[in-house]
Amino acid sequence: MDTRKLKYFLAVVDHGGFNRAAEHLLIAQPSLSQTIAGLEKELGVPLFHRIGRRAVLSDAGKELVGPARLVMRDLDAAQSAVQALRGVRSGQLDIVTMPSPGIEPLTSMIAAFTRSYPSVRLNVEAAFTPEEVIESVRNGSTEIGLAGSATAIRVPGVEVLELERQPLILIVNPQADTFGPGKVIAREDLNGHRLIASQRGSLMRWLVDDALARGVNAEIVVEVAHRTSVLPLVLAGVGHAVMPSSWAPTAGKAGLRTLLIEPVSHLEVAILSRKDDLTPAARAFLQVARDHAE
């Protein structure tokens, strides 16, 4: 087995089929099919089920994805380590982040990183749960992960650096701002208001559901999975939104008022990475994260 075959295998996985993978790799589709067939012969098992023009991973193929990504990641790390000795700071760093940490502290850390390493390209992918971030880092799809959780994240075999605690705030609908001049409200003050809520499983949704369970007569008018919709919905007068404080600067620039909600709940934000075999770019980014945490 050689790395070229693993690269081709992952291309088929990532692009959902042989035709698109061949276009991405700039090779002929029959050549790609022949290479995958050779890999399957070496392993003695089929890696894909061919269903019409689709290629669906077999059970053996699913098992190979994680190790293949780690092999390719380790190869990148070896090449980057050698290049670093020559002062080369190019390459790509793959990051996965949940939505709120993806606003802050990721924005500040990327700004600091790109000032020091302008030739490194950053690829930022999306995740919506801590478990998705953990799995992406573990299987080698990404080197760095940012996650937010109601409690501190502890993961065996994964390096976890706690970055900050983000209190939950209310982004106020300006068309229904009856909260008075202060900067703090109680959960009971949500009584009678319309809310834009995240899906179940998030800390923000937990706070809303907890308030409702305690007798607060608020109404969830919209439930959103994509949090990029939150600020436009608030600006449109649909309702208020409970979000982490990372959203406050952007909300302020949009002219929206934010209020701290008491009793205060915090989103625990951490950065995750493999403990060994990181590329120089990943190690440099972790140093930027440590500086931010301090």
Side-chain angles (χ1 to χ4, degrees), residues 138-217:
R138 272 183 167 164
N139 68 26
S141 296
T142 54
E143 287 196 275
I144 300 293
L146 272 85
S149 175
T151 57
I153 297 173
R154 297 287 184 269
V155 187
V158 175
E159 197 73 36
V160 179
L161 172 65
E162 295 178 3
L163 293 176
E164 61 187 36
R165 305 177 75 214
Q166 299 180 0
L168 296 191
I169 60 172
L170 187 73
I171 303 176
V172 179
N173 169 14
Q175 299 179 25
D177 187 354
T178 60
F179 295 109
K183 295 184 178 180
V184 179
I185 61 168
R187 295 180 187 178
E188 291 75 17
D189 293 330
L190 298 175
N191 196 69
H193 286 278
R194 293 160 61 87
L195 302 176
I196 300 159
S198 302
Q199 289 186 318
R200 294 187 185 276
S202 68
L203 178 63
M204 294 75 73
R205 179 56 181 270
W206 172 86
L207 187 149
V208 172
D209 287 343
D210 182 68
L212 296 177
R214 294 175 184 273
V216 174
N217 186 26

Side-chain angles (χ1 to χ4, degrees), residues 88-110:
V88 177
R89 295 294 183 181
S90 60
Q92 177 170 301
L93 174 60
D94 295 316
I95 300 172
V96 62
T97 182
M98 292 174 63
S100 294
I103 294 179
E104 282 294 345
L106 183 60
T107 297
S108 295
M109 292 192 297
I110 285 180

Side-chain angles (χ1 to χ4, degrees), residues 11-23:
V12 177
V13 173
D14 293 338
H15 294 277
F18 284 79
N19 288 334
R20 290 183 178 178
E23 291 174 1

Side-chain angles (χ1 to χ4, degrees), residues 7-29 32 92 121:
K7 177 182 178 181
Y8 285 12
F9 165 72
L10 290 174
V12 177
V13 173
D14 293 338
H15 294 277
F18 284 79
N19 288 334
R20 290 183 178 178
E23 291 174 1
H24 172 75
L25 294 167
L26 302 178
I27 62 172
Q29 192 270 335
L32 174 60
Q92 177 170 301
R121 177 182 177 184

